[in-house]
């Protein structure tokens, strides 16, 4: 299980940790994924670790308000989406910005579909209908960059359009989208024929 914590001993802000469950012994002691520049955690805050295994290898997608090269929290100014290559020994490499998804606005909380062909995330970029919308992008194969950007908030049945929608997550079977809006968790069913199937 991957999770985020601001516990003592981290790299700064919210860091990503990993723990493994042994049926006989329970959860292992959480391990910090390591600090930049050689590992994904920065002096800022990381959010929403989302792993996906593809033909190219295993990647960890996440968002951060700091670039890997930032030395102080004062240098952290923009929330962007990154991916980290997981080595064969299980260690996590530095975060590389996913340029085709990032803007000068806040782009955060990514969740990648298990086949690696669709990603959802929250953003307050231009073209939104709330203070923060849920966006998606797709690709035909995992070697390609993300494209086909769509604002999903236009289609979501959230009661208030004055809300901020965040923390999107796709179900394992790809049929449902879970997200938060105004302190409430919602579930939206995928319409037949919409998006990569």
């Amino acid at each position: 299980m991957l999770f985020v914590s601001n516990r003592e001993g981290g790299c700064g802000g919210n860091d990503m940790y990993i723990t493994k469950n042994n049926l006989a012994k329970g959860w292992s002691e959480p391990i910090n994924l390591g600090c930049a520049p050689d590992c994904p955690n920065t002096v800022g805050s990381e959010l929403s670790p989302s792993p996906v295994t593809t033909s190219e290898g295993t990647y960890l997608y996440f968002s951060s308000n700091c670039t890997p090269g930032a030395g102080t929290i004062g240098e952290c100014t923009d929330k962007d989406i990154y991916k980290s290559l997981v080595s064969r020994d299980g260690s996590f490499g530095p975060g590389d910005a996913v340029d085709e998804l990032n803007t000068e606005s806040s782009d955060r909380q990514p969740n990648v579909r298990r086949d690696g062909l669709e990603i959802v995330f929250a953003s307050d970029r231009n073209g939104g209908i709330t203070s923060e919308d849920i966006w998606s992008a797709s690709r035909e194969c995992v070697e390609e960059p993300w494209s086909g950007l769509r604002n999903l908030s236009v289609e979501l049945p959230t009661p208030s359009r004055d809300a901020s929608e965040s923390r999107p997550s796709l179900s394992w079977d790809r049929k449902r989208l879970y997200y938060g809006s105004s302190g409430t968790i919602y579930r939206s069913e995928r319409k037949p024929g919409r998006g990569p199937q």
Side-chain angles (χ1 to χ4, degrees):
M1 177 174 68
L2 290 149
F3 67 95
V4 170
S5 174
N6 64 353
R7 63 187 63 193
E8 292 184 7
C11 308
N14 296 316
D15 284 353
M16 296 179 290
Y17 288 79
I18 189 169
T19 179
K20 297 181 180 180
N21 189 22
N22 181 301
L23 294 179
K25 299 179 181 179
W27 292 98
S28 64
E29 184 69 24
I31 298 173
N32 189 297
L33 299 191
C35 305
D38 298 321
C39 298
N41 288 319
T42 69
V43 296
S45 288
E46 282 66 55
L47 292 173
S48 303
S50 178
V52 60
T53 299
T54 72
S55 58
E56 291 186 316
T58 297
Y59 288 92
L60 178 68
Y61 282 79
F62 63 97
S63 62
S64 177
N65 66 345
C66 252
T67 61
T72 66
I73 191 67
E75 298 175 56
C76 302
T77 58
D78 188 22
K79 297 182 179 94
D80 282 324
I81 298 170
Y82 295 85
K83 67 177 181 179
S84 165
L85 177 63
V86 183
S87 300
R88 290 183 179 179
D89 64 2
S91 60
F92 295 78
D96 290 323
V98 185
D99 292 331
E100 65 268 28
L101 298 178
N102 294 325
T103 65
E104 294 181 358
S105 300
S106 171
D107 306 300
R108 64 195 189 106
Q109 301 171 339
N111 180 264
V112 183
R113 203 169 80 186
R114 64 183 176 128
D115 60 6
L117 300 182
E118 184 178 19
I119 187 170
V120 291
F121 59 96
S123 178
D124 62 358
R125 64 182 61 199
N126 290 335
I129 60 172
T130 70
S131 58
E132 187 172 57
D133 288 0
I134 295 171
W135 296 77
S136 75
S138 60
R139 53 191 179 184
E140 292 297 322
C141 64
V142 295
E143 293 81 10
E144 295 179 357
W146 298 101
S147 62
L149 194 66
R150 281 175 49 206
N151 184 344
L152 297 185
S153 290
V154 175
E155 306 169 28
L156 294 176
T158 309
S160 172
R161 288 306 177 193
D162 296 325
S164 175
E165 297 175 340
S166 63
R167 303 193 184 282
S169 180
L170 293 165
S171 65
W172 189 251
D173 62 6
R174 306 175 290 185
K175 294 180 179 179
R176 290 172 297 281
L177 172 72
Y178 295 88
Y179 64 99
S181 181
S182 301
T184 302
I185 298 173
Y186 291 89
R187 180 185 71 189
S188 178
E189 300 286 336
R190 185 187 295 274
K191 297 176 182 177
R194 296 304 301 269
Q197 297 300 306

